[in-house]
Amino acid sequence: MKRSDTLLLAHGSGGRLTHELVRQVFLPAFDNPYLRTLSDSAVLSELPQGRPALTTDAFVVDPPIFPGGDLGYLSVCGTVNDLAVAGARPLWLTWALVLEEGLDGDLLHTVVEGAARACREAGVTLVAGDTKVVPRGKGDRAFAITSGLGVVPVGRDLGDHRVQTGDDIVVSGPFGDHGATIMACRHGLSGSFLVSDCAPLNDLVETVMTCGAEIHAMHDPTRGGVATTCHEVAARAGVRCVLEEVSLPVRSETLTTCELLGLDPLYLACEGRVLMWVAPDDTERLLKTLHSHPLGRDAARIGRTEPPKGGQASVLLRTAIGGERPVDLLSGSELPRIC
């Protein structure tokens, strides 16, 4: 299938056009010994020593191409990041596409090339895949489903069960860029000034895991952003997350977009940022390590955990003028199809 072609229902029928689609588009992009067999399953090598970690995610981002990424790139980065923040080293992925009849061949090639680029950047191998084509009007161009398998090395333990009162909260860079970029695209406000933060985080995570800092938990703040992630950690760890407004890193371009569209950057999705809960004595060491990595050079401490207080919000913002305001969970779907 060429970039100038249009996707037909027959491309998903399993017949001649399906075989051409696989051999002309997917195999060249993801070529590896597991895929070359074109068998029903990928029979993998033995896992390295450690605990297996498995995750899956669906991606329905609208628009499917945006500054800084596309559906394919996002779908690989998102799954790699889910494994990385659990402490796992991502190894293998599966990838399925649900495509709408009439899809522009150029868009399909862009999505496939984006996924392949993300695999190379993350050092992971796509070992199995599937494609389904639905009739015109029964889908919206393209959706992706990605699953990932990795291994948590022996002796590594990350999780909210380790978060303690007094932990510092660190973010690896300015947040909200991905969500602001997608919303700007939808409202005709996009431009070179605003780019998604979408990126694979596994190399950054491996770097900080070897710096000696006592990191208790990590999360990538995707849907619902920093605010939602802090709520989830507070509930699971039995603490209160207190954020400091003066320390929150938000790019001026993202802030301007939020002001125009009535959004709060605390709730905007990130696809290339990680939140970390770290022992306070090790915060400076962690920040120094983050600043040495291209994806962490603007990292900042943004708050800390405190004991819960009955009747008060589990996530609190200490404002620049010394006040406090609760940061609630979203009550509706403010940003649908953001990832």
Side-chain angles (χ1 to χ4, degrees), residues 3 38 42 233 248 271 286 324:
R3 283 186 176 272
L38 292 177
V233 172
L248 299 179
E271 293 292 343
L286 173 61
E324 294 182 346

Side-chain angles (χ1 to χ4, degrees), residues 127-205:
V127 297
D130 190 26
T131 304
K132 293 291 189 300
V133 181
V134 299
R136 194 185 300 269
K138 299 295 184 182
D140 186 7
R141 294 168 288 180
F143 302 140
I145 302 96
T146 313
S147 296
L149 177 63
V151 172
V152 180
V154 174
R156 183 177 293 181
D157 184 24
L158 289 176
D160 298 332
H161 61 282
R162 296 194 59 210
V163 172
Q164 303 172 12
T165 296
D167 278 358
D168 279 337
I169 306 171
V170 170
V171 66
S172 61
F175 57 83
D177 293 351
H178 176 75
T181 299
I182 298 300
M183 296 306 291
C185 287
R186 292 182 194 169
H187 289 82
L189 300 173
S190 61
S192 58
F193 59 91
L194 190 59
V195 177
S196 168
D197 49 53
C198 189
L201 292 168
N202 52 322
D203 185 68
L204 175 72
V205 169

Side-chain angles (χ1 to χ4, degrees), residues 4 15 25 36 46 75 156 176 202 223 256 337:
S4 57
V25 178
R36 280 178 216 143
E46 289 188 9
S75 64
R156 183 177 293 181
N202 52 322
R223 280 178 299 177
T256 299
R337 297 189 61 183

Side-chain angles (χ1 to χ4, degrees), residues 7-298:
L7 192 80
L8 306 174
L9 271 177
H11 280 108
S13 67
R16 184 182 301 277
L17 286 182
T18 301
H19 284 252
E20 289 181 2
L21 183 65
V22 170
R23 293 187 182 280
Q24 296 175 3
V25 178
F26 295 108
L27 279 182
F30 302 106
D31 182 50
N32 64 70
Y34 300 110
L35 283 183
R36 280 178 216 143
T37 65
L38 292 177
S39 190
D40 295 321
S41 297
V43 180
L44 305 173
S45 308
E46 289 188 9
L47 289 171
Q49 195 172 13
R51 293 175 293 153
L54 179 65
T55 188
T56 191
D57 208 346
F59 297 85
V60 297
V61 64
D62 178 30
I65 300 175
F66 48 86
D70 56 73
L71 172 67
Y73 188 74
L74 171 67
S75 64
V76 170
C77 290
T79 302
V80 165
N81 294 346
D82 283 345
L83 290 171
V85 297
R89 292 171 178 160
L91 297 172
W92 298 302
L93 301 181
T94 69
W95 196 52
L97 289 177
V98 179
L99 306 173
E100 184 184 15
E101 177 190 15
L103 180 75
D104 183 34
D106 187 56
L107 173 57
L108 177 59
H109 276 268
T110 299
V111 168
V112 171
E113 289 164 4
R117 177 166 61 93
C119 286
R120 290 193 298 272
E121 292 178 7
V124 297
T125 304
L126 197 154
V127 297
D130 190 26
T131 304
K132 293 291 189 300
V133 181
V134 299
R136 194 185 300 269
K138 299 295 184 182
D140 186 7
R141 294 168 288 180
F143 302 140
I145 302 96
T146 313
S147 296
L149 177 63
V151 172
V152 180
V154 174
R156 183 177 293 181
D157 184 24
L158 289 176
D160 298 332
H161 61 282
R162 296 194 59 210
V163 172
Q164 303 172 12
T165 296
D167 278 358
D168 279 337
I169 306 171
V170 170
V171 66
S172 61
F175 57 83
D177 293 351
H178 176 75
T181 299
I182 298 300
M183 296 306 291
C185 287
R186 292 182 194 169
H187 289 82
L189 300 173
S190 61
S192 58
F193 59 91
L194 190 59
V195 177
S196 168
D197 49 53
C198 189
L201 292 168
N202 52 322
D203 185 68
L204 175 72
V205 169
E206 280 301 310
T207 300
V208 300
M209 289 305 298
T210 58
C211 77
E214 186 181 330
I215 302 169
H216 295 148
M218 293 188 191
H219 294 281
D220 54 335
T222 55
R223 280 178 299 177
V226 170
T228 299
T229 301
C230 286
H231 266 281
E232 293 169 349
V233 172
R236 289 191 286 253
V239 299
R240 187 167 67 148
C241 293
V242 180
L243 304 176
E244 297 165 2
E245 188 175 33
V246 295
S247 302
L248 299 179
V250 182
R251 296 189 198 282
S252 59
E253 298 89 342
T254 297
L255 200 55
T256 299
T257 303
C258 287
E259 291 171 351
L260 285 171
L261 299 178
L263 302 171
D264 185 337
L266 277 171
Y267 296 93
L268 290 182
C270 306
E271 293 292 343
R273 301 286 183 250
V274 56
L275 285 170
M276 305 180 187
W277 280 257
V278 58
D281 289 345
D282 289 341
T283 302
E284 287 306 315
R285 178 186 301 186
L286 173 61
L287 285 171
K288 184 178 179 180
T289 304
L290 284 166
H291 293 159
S292 70
H293 193 283
L295 294 179
R297 58 187 172 221
D298 296 319

